[in-house]
Amino acid sequence: MKKIVLASLASIASTQAIAGNLVEPMMEPEVVEAATSSSGGGLIIPILLLIFLAAAASSGGGNAVPPPAV
């Protein structure tokens, strides 16, 4: 009985000792975020708004009633 117990303990101990191989760890690829910068930033919309307002102001009052002809 003692031989069976010793043999089973030896077999359990030996299977755990050689259970796996050494494998190189798999590294996740490093994610690098590229910084985006633009010189225009938020200037495009205000510049377009100023151009539109300047064009509207320079068009003059096209809806004026002409003076009566005498």
Side-chain angles (χ1 to χ4, degrees):
M1 181 71 169
K2 288 182 183 181
K3 290 183 180 182
I4 294 175
V5 171
L6 288 174
S8 64
L9 287 176
S11 67
I12 290 173
S14 66
T15 56
Q16 290 178 355
I18 59 170
N21 295 331
L22 293 177
V23 178
E24 292 185 28
M26 296 185 63
M27 303 289 286
E28 293 290 328
E30 185 175 331
V31 178
V32 178
E33 293 183 19
T36 58
S37 65
S38 85
S39 61
L43 294 177
I44 294 174
I45 293 176
I47 289 174
L48 290 176
L49 182 63
L50 286 174
I51 292 171
F52 177 74
L53 290 175
S58 68
S59 67
N63 294 336
V65 177
V70 186

